[in-house]
Amino acid sequence: MNPPLVSVIVPVYNCRATLGEALGSVFEQTIDPGLVEVIAVDDGSTDGSGDELDRLAEGRPGFSVVRRPNSGGPGAPRNAGIERARGRYLFFLDADDRLGPEALERMCAVAEEQGTDVVVGRYVGIGRGVAQFTKNIARVDVDDPDTDVYGASLTTHKLFRRELLERHGIRFPEGILAAEDKVFTAHAFLHSSGVSVVADHDCYYLVEREDGSSIMQAGGGWPEVFHGEVARSMLEQVMAHRGPGPARDRMLVRHFELEVLYGLDRRLLTAPEDVVDRVMDGMRRLCEDFLTPSVMMRMRPRYRVLAHSVRSGRRELLMRIIERAAASEPVPLLVDKARAYVAYPGFREPGASVPDTYFDVTDRLRVRRSLTALGWDGDRLGLGGTAVVSRLDPADRTIALLLRDKRSGGEHRVPCEAGGVGEDGDGGGDGEGGFTAALDPATAASGSPLPAGTWDLHVEVAHDRLVKEGRLGADRAEGVTAPKPRFVVSGGGVGASVTPFFTQGYDNLSLTVVPGPAALEKLLRVEAVGWDGLPRLLVRGSVPVSPASAAHVGVAVRLEARGGGDTKDAEVRLLPGAERLEFTAVTDLRGLAVGRWDVHLEFTVGGETARMRVPVRAGQPKVPPVPCATLGLRRASFYRTGGGNLAVHIVPGRVTALARSAGRRLTRR
């Protein structure tokens, strides 16, 4: 008999009410039932769970029930399941949770395809929060800082390659009420050759019991037990399997924040003194053995000051910090020159002797920003949005836009005004972090035109000498889109096309600036080509220019005989509009020599002229393919060249019958 592909191990202790749903989610999987074995381990249940397991196992050859005396925790029954399992992969399902449809099929498929040792499926929390990944990851190393699968989730509800567990002797610690799964998963992660993530499908439902009777909901015992048996084990594993460096520091930070110092909560405020002593003593020893300076400074300030209090034996300070952290109001944030500090008890208190660096949150502060308005107002690009540094009063800030060109290293600053329109359209005032800005490309470079390049837009928020910034655009209100390009002319006659856009992939706001009238070629829109009363050629077009800039733009249209020589200028009429400068050029073709004539367009801005051919779009509805006009004894037609440009062809005309008759009469005489 071939071994199964996956073994589902279910530890059971007094879960009769939920067994049907939990195991039913396994029976209903889309994977071939012959590839799945289910091992339910009854850990001495007293509520009839064993009888329910027997009933569910009837008629299911792949379902076995193991009975054992109560062990005092889920580690021992899970280990019993591992010893019995034959599958290539193991999945641990708690008896009060359930699998999502197709979960096993999808997770096993990616493990087979990628050869990874661990597969993390998407979690769904029912009555509780869960860790989430936002995108599928085919394969990632556990040390990867960007994904940080180790820091994100150490629950055991994952797919594990059985060979990995056997090769390294990875098992659950036994006799522990809670967090034994973290020890197991951390050990597996540290030895894994790669991890996959299935984030686009609900794979596992973590269900909080309505009666609050699960081990996790009950709290798992006093934290001093946890520190002595669980936290130390995880810290020792990290130290044993990772050398000094950022990866090890990240893992140790995770364990100190979530498994060690996290236990310093409001329960200690009313705990007996001997319990507090044991907790502090256990944590102190862990800090002395594993908490390096680099790990200390990677932790959040709350945990830094807690660790300092524990290491220095400052019980009174520790209790005040716990009490303050448990309060409903946020801990005040203070700005002193270029640094920001979270003012937990002990901050700059006489005699406290706690370094300021332990309270420092400067490098952790981020600008929360959104773009709520974007559009042209004449030659200025108007922006509106919000930008605040979390937990700092927006009224105390100054704000500016920063334009940066990565290639040239150039940077220019555009001041902003407080207030503006928020995402809800209700006019966000300064207290809400609103701002408005008017970016004039003609003066943005310290009063001069913005140089050529691609300029990324950042928003800068300053409180005293504390300065934080972030890119604009990715977080924006619904309906905010990039406005169309525009040609902007400065007072000195220097013109440039300005194209706002959102970057591909990152969706950040940038501007491309191309100076000179030649930039108008890409902005030109030829709207009509035709005859304006035979035999006059009409060309009508427009360019995106405001009325103020249109006063500096000259337009000329000229026909030139191919091969050089004769030229013929058109009569050009300009019509400035609110958004575009329209032009109509009419050329009288009478008198033109037989041959081909190319049509050229010239834009003149500030004494600089750019010359280009008049483009004609293929299949443009308003441009017939070969219209003709009669020029006496010649004919004229216009057409689209192979290069997509407008040209005119003059050919000799046919001699009419009347002309031939007159000619014969003259000959006879």
Side-chain angles (χ1 to χ4, degrees):
M1 186 178 193
N2 293 329
L5 178 64
V6 57
S7 300
V8 179
I9 298 172
V10 187
V12 177
Y13 178 70
N14 290 350
C15 295
R16 179 169 186 166
T18 59
L19 280 175
E21 187 171 14
L23 290 169
S25 72
V26 181
F27 304 149
E28 295 167 2
Q29 290 294 298
T30 54
I31 193 171
D32 184 348
L35 299 177
V36 182
E37 74 169 348
V38 181
I39 304 170
V41 183
D42 181 11
D43 196 44
S45 296
T46 59
D47 69 340
S49 292
D51 295 336
E52 180 68 6
L53 289 174
D54 290 338
R55 187 187 69 80
L56 292 169
E58 272 187 45
R60 299 185 185 275
F63 186 0
S64 61
V65 179
V66 178
R67 288 182 172 80
R68 51 168 294 123
N70 182 256
S71 62
R78 286 191 182 126
N79 287 339
I82 294 174
E83 298 302 325
R84 191 182 181 96
R86 298 180 300 117
R88 187 180 309 162
Y89 303 103
L90 305 183
F91 191 93
F92 299 96
L93 169 66
D94 284 351
D96 47 6
D97 295 335
R98 64 180 184 269
L99 285 168
E102 302 180 30
L104 294 180
E105 181 178 5
R106 289 174 181 253
M107 288 190 286
C108 288
V110 73
E112 292 283 271
E113 178 183 335
Q114 299 297 326
T116 43
D117 289 325
V118 185
V119 179
V120 183
R122 176 183 172 87
Y123 299 124
V124 179
I126 306 298
R128 55 170 292 182
V130 293
Q132 289 287 9
F133 290 92
T134 58
K135 62 180 180 180
N136 290 345
I137 303 173
R139 186 184 184 94
V140 69
D141 188 273
V142 74
D143 292 346
D144 179 72
D146 296 325
T147 308
D148 193 18
V149 292
Y150 188 97
S153 171
L154 290 182
T155 65
T156 197
H157 313 107
K158 299 170 174 62
L159 189 78
F160 297 90
R161 189 177 295 270
R162 185 162 64 93
E163 191 273 335
L164 170 77
L165 308 183
E166 299 298 344
R167 177 162 29 104
H168 297 286
I170 301 172
R171 294 294 187 271
F172 291 88
E174 299 187 6
I176 298 174
L177 284 176
E180 83 298 329
D181 59 335
K182 295 184 179 182
V183 178
F184 175 90
T185 306
H187 198 181
F189 269 152
L190 290 166
H191 285 292
S192 68
S193 62
V195 178
S196 299
V197 176
V198 177
D200 62 351
H201 183 76
D202 295 341
C203 293
Y204 195 86
Y205 290 80
L206 284 148
V207 182
E208 185 163 292
R209 295 188 191 178
E210 293 182 2
D211 61 2
S213 61
S214 73
I215 293 173
M216 287 299 296
Q217 290 169 258
W222 280 101
E224 77 270 20
V225 177
F226 180 83
H227 302 144
E229 301 180 40
V230 178
R232 179 168 290 275
S233 177
M234 287 186 284
L235 294 169
E236 287 175 344
Q237 285 181 168
V238 172
M239 298 296 286
H241 299 300
R242 288 296 183 275
R248 185 171 80 176
D249 284 354
R250 282 194 303 273
M251 293 174 180
L252 292 175
V253 166
R254 183 245 146 81
H255 289 311
F256 268 103
E257 289 195 350
L258 299 185
E259 280 84 46
V260 179
L261 300 166
Y262 186 79
L264 295 173
D265 57 28
R266 67 175 68 213
R267 290 184 298 171
L268 287 184
L269 298 176
T270 56
E273 288 194 9
D274 62 322
V275 171
V276 176
D277 289 340
R278 292 199 303 272
V279 169
M280 291 187 66
D281 184 60
M283 288 191 178
R284 177 185 56 77
R285 284 186 276 111
L286 291 178
C287 291
E288 289 175 349
D289 293 345
F290 302 104
L291 186 56
T292 64
S294 62
V295 174
M296 181 77 157
M297 294 314 299
R298 278 178 176 264
M299 293 194 304
R300 286 171 282 181
R302 172 188 169 190
Y303 298 107
R304 291 183 211 152
V305 294
L306 287 172
H308 172 81
S309 301
V310 166
R311 285 198 303 192
S312 60
R314 304 284 298 279
R315 178 195 287 231
E316 183 271 338
L317 178 59
L318 175 67
M319 293 303 181
R320 286 199 291 136
I321 294 171
I322 292 174
E323 188 174 14
R324 185 63 187 86
S328 58
E329 303 83 8
V331 181
L333 205 62
L334 305 178
V335 175
D336 184 3
K337 299 176 182 176
R339 310 302 297 179
Y341 305 94
V342 57
Y344 280 105
F347 177 63
R348 294 182 178 175
E349 291 181 3
S353 301
V354 187
D356 279 3
T357 53
Y358 290 177
F359 302 90
D360 196 321
V361 293
T362 308
D363 296 337
R364 295 175 175 271
L365 296 179
R366 298 290 183 269
V367 176
R368 290 190 296 106
R369 67 272 186 196
S370 66
L371 190 63
T372 57
L374 179 65
W376 288 108
D377 180 11
D379 285 335
R380 301 191 304 175
L381 185 64
L383 300 97
T386 59
V388 295
V389 178
S390 298
R391 296 174 59 192
L392 293 180
D393 186 354
D396 295 335
R397 82 192 199 277
T398 58
I399 188 168
L401 293 181
L402 298 180
L403 287 81
R404 290 200 181 108
D405 183 350
K406 293 178 182 177
R407 292 187 177 181
S408 69
E411 177 177 298
H412 301 289
R413 180 182 302 271
V414 177
C416 300
E417 294 185 6
V421 179
E423 292 189 24
D424 57 1
D426 288 338
D430 189 37
E432 300 172 358
F435 73 89
T436 59
L439 194 165
D440 187 348
T443 60
S446 302
S448 300
L450 200 60
T454 298
W455 298 88
D456 298 331
L457 270 74
H458 302 250
V459 62
E460 178 192 83
V461 179
H463 292 261
D464 196 359
R465 295 197 324 233
L466 172 69
V467 178
K468 291 290 177 178
E469 63 179 59
R471 286 294 305 273
L472 269 179
D475 187 1
R476 60 182 183 269
E478 185 177 354
V480 174
T481 59
K484 293 181 179 180
R486 179 160 297 195
F487 193 79
V488 176
V489 183
S490 68
V494 178
S497 73
V498 180
T499 304
F501 66 97
F502 293 107
T503 59
Q504 188 172 6
Y506 296 99
D507 230 18
N508 291 316
L509 179 60
S510 296
L511 304 174
T512 298
V513 177
V514 181
L520 285 166
E521 182 172 5
K522 290 188 176 181
L523 304 180
L524 171 66
R525 188 168 72 198
V526 176
E527 293 158 348
V529 175
W531 300 112
D532 179 41
L534 301 178
R536 299 198 307 170
L537 177 69
L538 177 145
V539 177
R540 186 168 70 245
S542 66
V543 287
V545 181
S546 73
S549 290
H552 302 276
V553 179
V555 182
V557 175
R558 178 175 293 115
L559 272 65
E560 296 185 0
R562 193 169 295 177
D566 294 343
T567 63
K568 183 66 177 286
D569 289 336
E571 296 179 5
V572 179
R573 179 163 50 91
L574 300 180
L575 180 62
E579 302 291 333
R580 304 185 68 84
L581 171 63
E582 298 180 358
F583 65 87
T584 301
V586 177
T587 309
D588 193 330
L589 303 183
R590 286 175 294 191
L592 294 185
V594 171
R596 297 182 186 273
W597 296 73
D598 295 321
V599 184
H600 292 265
L601 178 64
E602 293 181 353
F603 288 109
T604 301
V605 181
E608 182 181 355
T609 298
R611 192 165 178 269
M612 62 199 71
R613 297 286 298 276
V614 174
V616 179
R617 296 192 306 274
Q620 186 175 0
K622 296 183 180 180
V623 182
V626 189
C628 298
T630 301
L631 305 173
L633 299 181
R634 285 165 298 164
R635 288 182 301 152
S637 63
F638 60 82
Y639 63 97
R640 183 178 184 270
T641 68
N645 298 310
L646 180 64
V648 174
H649 192 193
I650 308 294
V651 297
R654 295 176 182 176
V655 179
T656 64
L658 180 61
R660 287 197 301 271
S661 175
R664 285 194 296 270
R665 287 195 300 271
L666 289 172
T667 301
R668 292 192 198 102
R669 291 180 185 178

